[in-house]
Amino acid sequence: MILYTYGDRAFPVWWDKHHGKLERFDNLTIIHLPGDDTEALAALADRSMSFQVTIQDGEVTFSNDNNLISITPEPRLPQN
């Protein structure tokens, strides 16, 4: 199972409260998407948007005719 988290407000509170309890789930992977990156991506949202997505060396790049946004997902291990 992969759990994607995003943003920088609620995630640190949730992580501090639960990460020690997640050790028992050996099939769980947590990927955090930093808040600044996801806010920049959300700002590009448009009714008829079209993106190209490239994944290379752990970085995800979204591009359209006018913009380029790169997001570097942060893997989190339950025991960390």
Side-chain angles (χ1 to χ4, degrees), residues 37-51 62-64 66-70:
D37 294 344
T38 55
E39 287 178 20
L41 184 59
L44 296 181
D46 190 0
R47 189 173 199 161
S48 60
M49 64 185 176
S50 177
F51 284 110
F62 297 84
S63 60
N64 63 14
N66 303 315
N67 298 292
L68 180 80
I69 301 293
S70 292

Side-chain angles (χ1 to χ4, degrees), residues 3-68:
L3 173 65
Y4 288 93
T5 62
Y6 62 93
D8 293 330
R9 289 183 231 160
F11 175 71
V13 174
W14 178 85
W15 182 254
D16 288 342
K17 184 175 180 181
H18 296 287
H19 79 273
K21 300 172 188 172
L22 301 173
E23 292 175 342
R24 61 185 174 175
F25 301 108
D26 41 341
N27 65 342
L28 176 64
T29 300
I30 300 170
I31 306 291
H32 180 65
L33 304 175
D36 291 342
D37 294 344
T38 55
E39 287 178 20
L41 184 59
L44 296 181
D46 190 0
R47 189 173 199 161
S48 60
M49 64 185 176
S50 177
F51 284 110
Q52 286 187 315
V53 179
T54 305
I55 302 170
Q56 183 175 354
D57 298 327
E59 185 174 83
V60 182
T61 303
F62 297 84
S63 60
N64 63 14
D65 293 337
N66 303 315
N67 298 292
L68 180 80

